[in-house]
Amino acid sequence: MTETLTPDPQGLARAARLLSAGGLVAFPTETVYGLGGDARSDSAVACIFAAKGRPRFNPLIVHVGDLEMARTIAVFDDCAERLAAAFWPGPLTLVLPLAASASLSPLVTADLPSVAVRVPAHPVARSLLAVFGHPIAAPSANRSGRVSPTRAEHVREELRCRIAAIVEGGACGVGLESTIIGLTGEPALLRPGGLPAEAVEACIGRALVRSLPGEVPTAPGQLASHYAPAAAVRLDATAPEAGEFWIGFGAAAASADLNLSPGGDLIEAAANLFHFLREADRRARSGIAVSPIPDTGLGRAINDRLRRAAAPRPPG
Ligand code: TXA
Ligand code: MG
């Protein structure tokens, strides 16, 4: 059952306890309702993807209560400082280099060296972040492929029984997702949204690089800087070949070097995936073999990521 919580001190304390226990809590922001989970927890973030039914591990936006918390996860340059001072709290997300000290789940960033961060303005979101005290990963609280929810009822229709709780907060004022600005290279408009791009340009005193529709890198594999193992990856392996490091799945892979989920749980497998790929890359002598993963539920996102890891690399 999904609890309905009122945005009073008791309701927010309950929401924070559920988040601390790894549960998912939908909450209002000024843009749209977010589907929140502890951004430090691999299993909470894996559950976000499972609840949304996303076929890919797109990187998620990390919500923080203030600039101080933002600095614990991301590196701010002059441009980022200026935009944060002008528009936070508000409907602006900045993609910044991930701070070395950030202890986020690699699923949140899709294992990228950057992180999308925003300080929401909605009083309920701000209170929840203050009570919880840690970064909250939150995509829009809809099933994959549906429109973003701007009222608690929309969230309930789509995610009832799939999440621990919904914090009520009325209708969202902006009703459009946040504007995403990439600051890991030339300042770029990655997603138009609630804050006009012109306001961003006026603030930083220069034009934004605007990708053409279809060029926006949303999936991790499309991002040039995305981490790919150096070792060759072989999929659907029921046993390792000589020298291969074997990442198994399920009971059939009892002798694997690492097992994504001995009990065959896809949420557990997703939570382990990026950690295991990195460890396999460190330890592999000749390559990495990966067990077959069922192509259902989160298995689709796992297989998408594995296919990208196994794809031939562009030269250089
Ligand atoms: O208004 C909003 O932004 C809402 C509310 C809940 O805050 N959140 C939202 O989150 O729309 P989400 O997870 O649905 O949007 C994430 C977007 C994706 O399109 C993703 O490509 C981009 O942010 N993104 C996240 N991290 C990124 C990164 N490191 N590099 C490039 N793009 C990134
Ligand atoms: Mg969305």
Side-chain angles (χ1 to χ4, degrees):
M1 271 306 290
T2 299
E3 296 176 30
T4 297
L5 301 173
T6 46
D8 52 23
Q10 291 91 318
L12 293 170
R14 173 77 185 148
R17 272 200 307 280
L18 290 169
L19 287 170
S20 296
L24 302 187
V25 176
F27 62 96
T29 81
E30 73 279 23
T31 58
V32 299
Y33 273 75
L35 175 55
D38 185 341
R40 304 164 303 167
S41 161
D42 294 314
S43 60
V45 180
C47 285
I48 292 178
F49 287 100
K52 282 189 68 93
R54 268 199 186 172
R56 277 192 181 154
F57 295 121
N58 290 343
L60 304 178
I61 295 175
V62 179
H63 298 67
V64 293
D66 52 31
L67 189 53
E68 194 190 332
M69 202 192 288
R71 287 190 212 285
T72 67
I73 61 171
V75 180
F76 284 70
D77 64 7
D78 285 351
C79 203
E81 292 286 352
R82 206 181 286 190
L83 288 171
F87 300 115
W88 279 355
L92 171 69
T93 295
L94 300 177
V95 174
L96 302 173
L98 187 63
S101 61
S103 49
L104 301 177
S105 166
L107 274 178
V108 168
T109 53
D111 221 8
L112 293 164
S114 58
V115 60
V117 58
R118 104 172 173 95
V119 179
H122 196 291
V124 175
R126 304 201 71 191
S127 305
L128 179 60
L129 282 160
V131 175
F132 181 55
H134 303 287
I136 298 178
S140 51
N142 51 282
R143 305 290 309 275
S144 180
R146 311 279 186 81
V147 296
S148 297
T150 52
R151 288 170 187 272
E153 303 90 84
H154 302 166
V155 180
R156 200 168 299 113
E157 282 159 22
E158 302 223 345
L159 295 173
R160 196 176 10 141
C161 299
R162 303 176 77 97
I163 63 178
I166 303 172
V167 185
E168 299 266 8
C172 301
V174 176
L176 262 187
E177 287 94 344
S178 60
T179 298
I180 305 182
I181 303 297
L183 292 177
T184 54
E186 292 285 288
L189 178 64
L190 300 183
R191 179 177 77 183
L195 179 72
E198 291 76 10
V200 172
E201 291 175 325
C203 175
I204 61 176
R206 57 190 290 191
L208 293 167
V209 175
R210 290 162 197 253
S211 317
L212 297 169
E215 264 187 356
V216 184
T218 47
Q222 293 170 250
L223 295 160
S225 54
H226 191 260
Y227 174 80
V233 176
R234 186 169 66 85
L235 304 181
D236 295 321
T238 48
E241 287 168 3
E244 273 183 338
F245 186 96
W246 188 18
I247 299 180
F249 176 83
S255 63
D257 295 291
L258 289 172
N259 196 314
L260 287 165
S261 174
D265 176 10
L266 290 167
I267 293 179
E268 181 185 9
N272 285 328
L273 180 65
F274 291 140
H275 296 290
F276 284 13
L277 281 174
R278 281 182 184 266
E279 187 172 343
D281 210 14
R282 276 195 302 273
R283 290 168 54 191
R285 280 176 291 124
S286 73
I288 301 169
V290 188
S291 286
I293 310 288
D295 207 40
T296 57
L298 264 193
R300 287 181 304 148
I302 295 172
N303 283 323
D304 173 72
R305 183 63 189 82
L306 286 172
R307 277 193 297 271
R308 290 164 193 279
R313 309 287 149 66

